[in-house]
């Protein structure tokens, strides 16, 4: 399974790019994918349609948008691009606007890039790394920060957690869904943060987590105890028969921790 830095060559990083609006920001990221042979212009249009259809749910953290669409024939191979804007632009998100960093993903399937998404979510959840990336003067320096941070994160991965009494008392194995429009991008960000919180709680053995899309989530909801998602996707889902908790910052462990405490009355 490819790592983050394998999917993001220095040629796919652009700093201080101009963009008049959110469409221009996504196009800038899409142009880098095209220039590096990852995808075609058709995929860039698919990324734009995703936001037009589902709203700005791709703005998963303050100042950060994760542009993506479903795997399609317009994707030649899985890859990413990184665009830091010279001036931030609004995407229409209630709490995370304006956006200065746009990372785009083009994937050939829904699973091969999960490790890279988890790594990116962890890195962008670290304020020191975010600050360093924001101040990096060149694409080469951005990639070096990512390489170092990725290596540090891997060496610090916790051992497999053991179950606590509280988890055992919750009635066996539960499933929590993280949901986005396509099930291949932002939902993986949120799943990574959720997994991190569950590991800290030592509940991982008793709670399964699954990243999925809006259509699949409606069918899977009956087997889940809860759904974590964005405000836009929560509106699209409606009443699915299980609690739906809105997470504003998909990289914020404190926010996900609070949602779990509310769900489990901890």
């Amino acid at each position: 399974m490819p790592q983050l830095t394998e999917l993001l060559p220095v040629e796919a990083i652009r700093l201080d790019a101009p963009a008049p609006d959110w469409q221009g920001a996504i196009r800038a990221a899409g142009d880098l994918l095209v220039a590096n042979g990852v995808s075609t212009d058709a995929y860039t249009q698919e990324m734009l349609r995703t936001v037009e259809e589902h709203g700005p749910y791709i703005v998963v953290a303050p100042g950060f948008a994760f542009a993506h669409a479903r795997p399609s024939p317009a994707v030649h191979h899985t890859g990413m691009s990184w665009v830091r804007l010279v001036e931030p632009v609004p995407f229409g998100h209630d709490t995370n606007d304006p956006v200065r960093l746009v990372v785009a993903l083009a994937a050939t399937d829904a699973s091969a890039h999960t490790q890279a998404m988890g790594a990116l979510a962890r890195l962008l959840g670290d304020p020191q790394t975010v600050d360093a990336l924001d101040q990096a003067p060149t694409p080469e320096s951005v990639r070096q920060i990512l390489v170092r941070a990725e290596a540090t994160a891997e060496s610090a991965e916790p051992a497999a957690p053991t179950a606590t009494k509280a988890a055992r008392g919750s009635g066996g194995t539960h499933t929590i869904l993280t949901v986005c429009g396509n099930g291949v991008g932002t939902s993986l960000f949120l799943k990574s943060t959720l997994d991190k919180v569950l590991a800290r709680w030592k509940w991982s053995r008793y709670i399964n987590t699954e990243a999925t899309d809006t259509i699949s989530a409606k069918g899977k909801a009956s087997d889940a105890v809860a759904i974590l998602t964005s405000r836009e996707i929560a509106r699209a889902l409606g009443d699915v028969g299980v609690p739906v908790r809105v997470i504003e910052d998909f990289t914020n462990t404190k926010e996900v921790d609070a949602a779990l405490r509310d769900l489990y009355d901890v």
Side-chain angles (χ1 to χ4, degrees):
M1 197 172 289
Q3 295 184 339
L4 169 62
T5 47
E6 293 179 76
L7 298 178
L8 187 66
V10 70
E11 295 81 9
I13 300 172
R14 184 182 178 191
L15 305 184
D16 300 327
D21 47 32
W22 69 264
Q23 293 95 332
I26 290 179
R27 288 192 185 97
D31 288 346
L32 280 177
L33 294 175
V34 174
N36 284 276
V38 172
S39 60
T40 69
D41 289 328
Y43 184 76
T44 302
Q45 294 304 313
E46 290 167 11
M47 291 194 293
L48 290 166
R49 281 195 295 272
T50 292
V51 179
E52 292 166 353
E53 179 180 354
H54 297 291
Y57 79 93
I58 66 168
V59 187
V60 297
F64 170 58
F66 188 66
H68 63 287
R70 293 181 183 275
S72 78
V75 179
H76 300 312
H77 62 86
T78 299
M80 299 172 65
S81 65
W82 181 288
V83 175
R84 193 178 71 195
L85 302 174
V86 65
E87 293 290 343
V89 298
F91 272 61
H93 196 280
D94 291 340
T95 59
N96 292 335
D97 268 348
V99 169
R100 191 181 183 210
L101 174 63
V102 180
V103 176
L105 166 74
T108 56
D109 60 59
S111 61
H113 58 287
T114 55
Q115 181 175 328
M117 294 305 93
L120 184 58
R122 289 191 298 271
L123 300 185
L124 295 180
D126 176 23
Q128 290 185 329
T129 300
V130 170
D131 185 61
L133 290 167
D134 190 53
Q135 300 299 322
T138 65
E140 292 80 3
S141 60
V142 167
R143 196 170 187 284
Q144 284 304 309
I145 292 168
L146 295 175
V147 169
R148 290 194 297 269
E150 193 171 42
T152 301
E154 287 179 357
S155 64
E157 282 295 309
T162 56
T164 64
K165 182 178 179 180
R168 290 195 295 270
S170 67
T173 302
H174 288 178
T175 296
I176 296 178
L177 303 177
T178 62
V179 183
C180 73
N182 298 302
V184 297
T186 56
S187 59
L188 290 172
F189 262 78
L190 185 52
K191 180 183 184 301
S192 175
T193 305
L194 173 59
D195 287 340
K196 188 175 182 179
V197 174
L198 290 172
R200 288 179 180 175
W201 284 26
K202 299 183 180 179
W203 280 24
S204 301
R205 187 179 299 177
Y206 286 86
I207 298 180
N208 298 320
T209 61
E210 181 180 351
T212 189
D213 61 272
T214 50
I215 296 174
S216 300
K218 292 179 180 180
K220 296 178 178 180
S222 60
D223 296 321
V225 296
I227 288 173
L228 302 186
T229 189
S230 67
R231 192 172 304 278
E232 294 82 8
I233 298 301
R235 294 191 191 109
L237 286 172
D239 183 3
V240 290
V242 298
V244 177
R245 295 293 183 266
V246 170
I247 305 296
E248 300 290 355
D249 183 348
F250 281 20
T251 67
N252 191 321
T253 55
K254 291 182 179 179
E255 188 176 355
V256 173
D257 184 283
L260 285 178
R261 290 180 185 276
D262 177 56
L263 286 166
Y264 284 94
D265 195 23
V266 173

